[in-house]
Amino acid sequence: MKDATSELFDLLAEVGATPTLDGKPITEAELREHATKRVVDRLANHGKRSGPARAYADAKGFRVVCISLYTTDIEQLEAKVAELKRRGWTRANKSQLIRLALAQLDLD
């Protein structure tokens, strides 16, 4: 079974996209290293936060946020997740697709 990072890189390759970080191409290994550093940084700052839910999120390297989307946007997002799952990407989810969209946005 592939993890989410491997699935993301496979999906990017399938659509002919190049993953980037700070506007520069990045390999799967570099992304894993970057993510690990972020988790370590979060753990180092763990004492500044409280609550078991926050501690769990920090240890896993994510934060729960609330965003507003139009109903049509949510429907499109859910349809894309369903299509990816139909194609065999069983771990596809809305957060993963939003992260993919963010990774493709180059403001420079």
Side-chain angles (χ1 to χ4, degrees), residues 4 13 17 22 25 30 33-34 38 73 81-82 84 91 107:
D22 297 329
E30 290 169 329
E33 181 180 340
H34 176 76
R38 290 187 63 197
D73 294 334
V81 168
L84 285 170
R91 297 177 71 185
L107 298 177

Side-chain angles (χ1 to χ4, degrees), residues 44-62:
N45 292 322
H46 173 68
K48 298 177 183 169
R49 299 182 175 117
S50 62
R54 177 62 66 142
Y56 175 80
D58 286 347
K60 295 294 183 180
F62 70 88

Side-chain angles (χ1 to χ4, degrees), residues 5 8-9 11-12 15 17-27 31 34 38 94-108:
T5 303
L8 176 62
F9 269 77
L11 177 61
L12 289 171
V15 297
T18 301
T20 60
L21 181 66
D22 297 329
K24 299 174 187 166
I26 188 170
T27 66
L31 179 60
H34 176 76
R38 290 187 63 197
K94 291 177 275 195
S95 294
Q96 192 176 40
L97 286 181
I98 291 170
R99 286 191 302 272
L100 172 64
L102 288 171
Q104 295 304 302
L105 182 64
D106 186 5
L107 298 177
D108 294 337

